[in-house]
Amino acid sequence: MPAIPADPRPFPFDPAACALLVIDMQRDFLEPGGFGAALGNDVSLLRAAIEPNRRLLAAWRAAGLPVLHTREGHRPDLSDLPAAKLQRAPAGATRIGDPGPMGRILVQGEPGHALIPELSPLPGETVIDKPGKGAFYATELQARLEALGVRQLVVTGVTTEICVQSTVREANDRGYDCLVPSDCTASYFPEFHAAALKMIAAQGGILGWVSHSDHVLAALATP
Ligand code: TIU
């Protein structure tokens, strides 16, 4: 398969060693009444990433390449929730663990913690539960990737400058090549989305590569 056009140079796509990593496409971030809304955000801004992710997932699955999804959240007893994370919210906001219209905010097993129905995982696809922003922190992600022989990641999901970029930074330090298709990620702050993508590709690709899902789909369609 061909290299994928990307900034700052083509991404050396190796389908034998590349996984799709979909970050935190959960109801808590994309639907009203969840964690994202509790933080004061307009959650509708994230919905632009759904259809590009749906298309990319379909093509990735059709190509038989590995798919991993992540979910940010905490144990029901909140034993994995640092006080610092709990406290960091707007004054008076509904906080992690509090009841909301989709159940307790950002708590595993609650309706709001689920991946959005448009991007439901298929049986056999890995779902990584993560207590932090980066997907490697306190999870089995690296062990799963090593077991799959993965050395490259196409990273999508939300939000661009928080969990997607944290994960790209963690992956970069662990030796993974990361490609972020810009249309498959989104932020509550369009200016942060743009800046986060620039940070990844700047300085000769200091953290990775940035492209568009059309280019990834074209590469997947090329025998
Ligand atoms: N608040 C925000 O932009 N993001 C998060 O809290 N988590 C993720 O990005 N998943």
Side-chain angles (χ1 to χ4, degrees), residues 31-53:
E31 296 186 10
F35 183 54
L39 294 174
N41 297 305
D42 174 1
V43 296
S44 71
L45 287 164
L46 302 191
R47 301 197 70 80
I50 297 175
E51 181 57 19
N53 269 286

Side-chain angles (χ1 to χ4, degrees), residues 25 30 46-55 116 118-119:
M25 291 295 280
L30 287 120
L46 302 191
R47 301 197 70 80
I50 297 175
E51 181 57 19
N53 269 286
R54 196 196 58 72
R55 279 197 306 266
I116 58 171
E118 296 91 331
L119 302 177

Side-chain angles (χ1 to χ4, degrees), residues 189-210:
F189 303 87
E191 68 274 29
F192 293 173
H193 170 80
L197 295 173
K198 276 188 190 172
M199 285 178 211
I200 291 167
Q203 304 183 66
I206 189 92
L207 296 173
W209 287 255
V210 175

Side-chain angles (χ1 to χ4, degrees), residues 85-96:
K85 181 174 178 180
L86 175 63
Q87 289 155 9
R88 235 178 283 119
T94 310
R95 299 203 303 183
I96 297 170

Side-chain angles (χ1 to χ4, degrees), residues 111-187:
H113 182 257
L115 298 171
I116 58 171
E118 296 91 331
L119 302 177
S120 286
L122 292 183
E125 290 178 356
T126 299
V127 180
I128 303 276
D129 281 316
K130 64 199 243 312
K133 303 305 185 194
F136 287 85
Y137 168 66
T139 72
E140 71 279 23
L141 177 58
Q142 188 162 1
R144 292 295 188 102
L145 296 177
E146 285 171 3
L148 289 165
V150 168
R151 297 187 313 276
Q152 300 182 335
L153 297 171
V154 172
V155 186
T156 73
V158 294
T159 60
T160 321
E161 80 281 10
I162 305 293
C163 291
V164 171
Q165 206 193 57
S166 289
T167 297
V168 167
R169 287 171 185 267
E170 288 183 328
N172 185 65
D173 284 343
R174 287 165 174 79
Y176 296 92
D177 283 336
C178 294
L179 174 75
V180 180
S182 57
D183 55 318
C184 292
T185 181
S187 170

